[in-house]
Amino acid sequence: MHVSRKAYSDEDREAIRRNMLERSARIFAEKGLRDVSLEDVYVPEGISKTFFYSFFPSKVALITEVFRIQSAEILEAVRSNVWKYGAENGIRETFSDVLAGRWYIASFDDQQYLRGMMSEEEFVGFKNDRIVLFAEILNIIGVPISRMDPRVFYNMLMSVVWAGRSGQSAIPFLYGEVAGITTEIQIDHLVGYVAALSVNAERGGN
């Protein structure tokens, strides 16, 4: 049994919090949300469950914080890639990173599990955070939300990502042996469609 020390410095607490979030993102991707226990997250830090709750009041709070951090990372990757490669190639590069597994993406089972644990307020807040993220991505690549609803953008991208990253057992009637080629074509069309909506495209520039 792990018992927390009585006192931690601010630096200690920040290190513990950071370690737990990094570990959570990794094991969520490896095992799925349902099969990860809180003990998997806090025991390696040598702290108690009570002390864990001083960081995150629930498993939902931990999960949503992992998503919040990854959203910020994705947004920064979009900015960096668009700066380096231009809008069209920048978003293509970022989407490739998503498909390659750079960030944890919730599976169908993970989503159902998380929704079952969330209150209605948490669910609405989480979905609103997705809208904000994808609106900001559109803004970076010069697409006003008057031209594309960020919810549509999210649905289009994630349907490709989920199909591309699902195993053969998850979607057995897809042809897994050509999933990579299929995803590349879908991403190419999606990127071209979104890039064509940018104000820069209308002006004839990139």
Side-chain angles (χ1 to χ4, degrees):
M1 180 177 180
H2 296 269
V3 179
S4 299
R5 291 178 291 159
K6 295 298 183 183
Y8 289 85
S9 68
D10 290 343
E11 291 77 14
D12 290 335
R13 288 184 59 87
E14 181 55 34
I16 291 170
R17 186 177 190 276
R18 181 175 61 251
N19 289 344
M20 289 194 295
L21 286 166
E22 290 175 354
R23 182 177 300 108
S24 295
R26 184 174 65 254
I27 61 179
F28 287 159
E30 292 171 355
K31 299 171 66 175
L33 298 182
R34 191 185 303 274
D35 292 331
V36 172
S37 69
L38 293 183
E39 286 79 7
D40 292 329
V41 175
Y42 71 75
V43 166
E45 296 303 310
I47 66 173
S48 68
K49 192 170 191 176
T50 299
F51 193 50
F52 167 85
Y53 284 129
S54 73
F55 294 95
F56 307 102
S58 67
K59 189 175 181 180
V60 169
L62 172 66
I63 293 168
T64 53
E65 180 65 7
V66 168
F67 278 116
R68 187 193 66 78
I69 290 172
Q70 291 198 149
S71 292
E73 292 175 355
I74 291 170
L75 202 58
E76 184 54 37
V78 173
R79 287 196 185 98
S80 177
N81 287 333
V82 168
W83 176 260
K84 289 179 184 177
Y85 309 115
E88 188 166 347
N89 288 329
I91 56 176
R92 183 179 285 109
E93 185 75 15
T94 308
F95 291 172
S96 295
D97 284 344
V98 171
L99 286 163
R102 179 174 173 183
W103 298 284
Y104 162 65
I105 302 295
S107 67
F108 299 130
D109 181 68
D110 283 346
Q111 292 176 60
Q112 292 173 346
Y113 173 72
L114 181 57
R115 177 64 186 100
M117 291 195 302
M118 283 178 161
S119 67
E120 188 62 25
E121 182 179 2
E122 288 170 329
F123 177 62
V124 171
F126 186 85
K127 292 190 74 174
N128 285 341
D129 286 345
R130 303 299 93 193
I131 294 174
V132 171
L133 171 62
F134 277 76
E136 290 178 343
I137 293 173
L138 287 171
N139 181 62
I140 290 171
I141 60 181
V143 179
I145 60 173
S146 60
R147 296 190 177 187
M148 186 170 199
D149 187 325
R151 296 171 299 177
V152 174
F153 184 28
Y154 175 85
N155 283 353
M156 292 173 69
L157 174 61
M158 296 314 298
S159 63
V160 176
V161 171
W162 287 323
R165 292 186 59 178
S166 293
Q168 187 74 27
S169 60
I171 311 179
F173 289 104
L174 284 183
Y175 296 97
E177 65 273 18
V178 292
I181 297 172
T182 305
T183 300
E184 287 178 10
I185 294 171
Q186 290 173 313
I187 289 294
D188 190 59
H189 281 278
L190 175 57
V191 168
Y193 175 76
V194 174
L197 297 174
S198 73
V199 292
N200 289 330
E202 186 176 78
R203 294 168 183 163
N206 293 316

